[in-house]
Amino acid sequence: MKKLLMVGMMSAMLVGLAACGSDADSKSAESDKATPKTEEKEVAKKAETTKQDVNSDTDANKQTEEKQDKESTTAKEDTPTTEKAEEKTSEPTAQNGTTKETPDTAKTEEKTPEQKQAAAAGAFSLTPAGFKQSAVAPKTGGTVSLVYLNTTPETADFGPLKVTVKQYKLESVTGANKKMDPYSPESYLANQDGFVVTADVVIENTSASNINYLAERIQINGGGISKGSSLENFVPTAYQLSGSATSHNIFPAKSKREGAITYMLNKDNYYTLVHLTKLVVPNPNDFADKALQVKTTKAIDLDFRITE
């Protein structure tokens, strides 16, 4: 009986073990079946990733190509403009094959510093308008006023030499306040009120030889006193009267020279000279080495009124 029980128990255990083994085999088979599916998914995933990478590279390449095409197009559009600009810049020719001068390439005459200064707005010159401007005020300061202006020409005709006063003026100077060189004759008006007479003079040599003439010897006479002239005082360099570049007193044959001469007067001088004023023009034979065939041997007096 015991044996039968033992045999039964052992049979039951064997059946249980067999069942467990079968179940384990079944699970192992299922696990084996699942493994390929997982690997297939991973392979598929990698393939998808690779595809995306390829697509991404393709898109990037496409964007790069589009960008390059765009830049190329822009460059092409810009090129004609640059060429046109260069053509415009390098276009110096006009009709009939002649060269057209632009304002920049046109020839201009160089002016001397004196001429540039004289050309400045409001500067003194020998033109009718410029003669009204003062060359005195910039040097003296204070109040400089135009008292009298005469524009009626007068000529002292000696024959081979003619001296013409085209225009002249009288200016008053009050309260001069600019510092002036004490060694300059112009400083005469630095510490006192006074007057300056400026005459626009033309000297013409009609002879075939040079003539020596001293324009600074042309004097103002009146009321028993005389005042000599100056070729430099209050006269800008560009308008100083000079016969030639080397000698101001040598007037070449068949030449005409124009410039300004001046007279400085204090109040006493002015109020004495103001009556019956004359401009005394010396005879050219006073300075000639060889006598000239002149119309007169004396000086010629010109009316030179310096008051209203």
Side-chain angles (χ1 to χ4, degrees):
M1 191 71 179
K2 288 183 180 179
K3 287 181 179 182
L4 289 173
L5 288 171
M6 289 182 65
V7 170
M9 290 176 64
M10 288 180 67
S11 297
M13 289 176 63
L14 289 172
V15 172
L17 289 171
C20 287
S22 176
D23 186 57
D25 292 338
S26 177
K27 286 183 179 178
S28 176
E30 290 176 0
S31 176
D32 292 339
K33 288 181 182 178
T35 298
K37 289 183 179 179
T38 303
E39 291 176 355
E40 287 175 3
K41 287 182 179 180
E42 289 179 356
V43 171
K45 188 175 182 181
K46 287 181 180 178
E48 183 68 21
T49 303
T50 303
K51 186 177 180 180
Q52 289 177 354
D53 292 341
V54 171
N55 290 339
S56 177
D57 292 340
T58 303
D59 292 339
N61 291 335
K62 188 180 289 184
Q63 290 177 358
T64 302
E65 290 175 358
E66 289 177 356
K67 185 176 181 181
Q68 290 175 347
D69 291 340
K70 189 174 182 180
E71 290 175 352
S72 176
T73 303
T74 304
K76 287 179 181 177
E77 290 175 354
D78 291 341
T79 301
T81 305
T82 305
E83 290 174 354
K84 285 179 183 177
E86 290 176 355
E87 288 174 3
K88 199 177 228 182
T89 305
S90 60
E91 180 186 331
T93 56
Q95 293 179 352
N96 301 327
T98 57
T99 300
K100 186 192 292 181
E101 284 188 345
T102 63
D104 292 335
T105 58
K107 292 181 181 178
T108 56
E109 242 180 278
E110 284 295 325
K111 293 183 179 180
T112 64
E114 291 82 8
Q115 288 172 328
K116 288 179 181 178
Q117 181 181 3
F124 172 87
S125 72
L126 299 180
T127 64
F131 195 72
K132 294 177 183 178
Q133 303 301 320
S134 179
V136 177
K139 292 191 174 184
T140 63
T143 302
V144 178
S145 304
L146 180 61
V147 177
Y148 179 71
L149 174 67
N150 189 309
T151 58
T152 303
E154 286 191 273
T155 300
D157 186 359
F158 294 98
L161 190 81
K162 296 179 181 179
V163 179
T164 300
V165 178
K166 287 178 62 178
Q167 55 189 345
Y168 67 92
K169 65 180 178 179
L170 173 72
E171 293 175 282
S172 68
V173 181
T174 306
N177 54 20
K178 283 197 173 182
K179 186 176 181 180
M180 302 175 71
D181 182 358
Y183 297 101
S184 168
E186 295 172 340
S187 63
Y188 176 75
L189 293 176
N191 300 311
Q192 63 176 331
D193 294 344
F195 299 86
V196 177
V197 178
T198 304
D200 176 7
V201 176
V202 177
I203 297 180
E204 182 179 5
N205 178 1
T206 61
S207 75
S209 305
N210 293 349
I211 293 180
N212 179 33
Y213 192 79
L214 301 180
E216 59 267 37
R217 296 286 183 88
I218 301 173
Q219 296 181 334
I220 293 179
N221 279 5
I225 66 171
S226 300
K227 294 292 289 186
S229 67
S230 169
L231 304 179
E232 298 177 355
N233 295 338
F234 302 113
V235 181
T237 306
Y239 301 109
Q240 292 177 1
L241 179 60
S242 180
S244 64
T246 54
S247 299
H248 76 277
N249 56 305
I250 301 299
F251 292 82
K254 305 296 182 181
S255 69
K256 184 185 288 187
R257 300 289 186 265
E258 181 177 8
I261 61 176
T262 58
Y263 303 85
M264 293 187 295
L265 312 172
N266 59 26
K267 284 187 174 182
D268 290 339
N269 294 154
Y270 172 71
Y271 289 117
T272 302
L273 286 166
V274 76
H275 303 289
L276 302 175
T277 312
K278 297 290 183 180
L279 192 71
V280 181
V281 183
N283 195 292
N285 274 337
D286 293 347
F287 318 109
D289 295 329
K290 183 180 179 180
L292 301 170
Q293 297 296 317
V294 293
K295 292 181 178 182
T296 178
T297 58
K298 297 181 180 180
I300 296 178
D301 293 350
L302 300 177
D303 288 334
F304 202 72
R305 177 178 163 186
I306 55 175
T307 185
E308 291 290 356

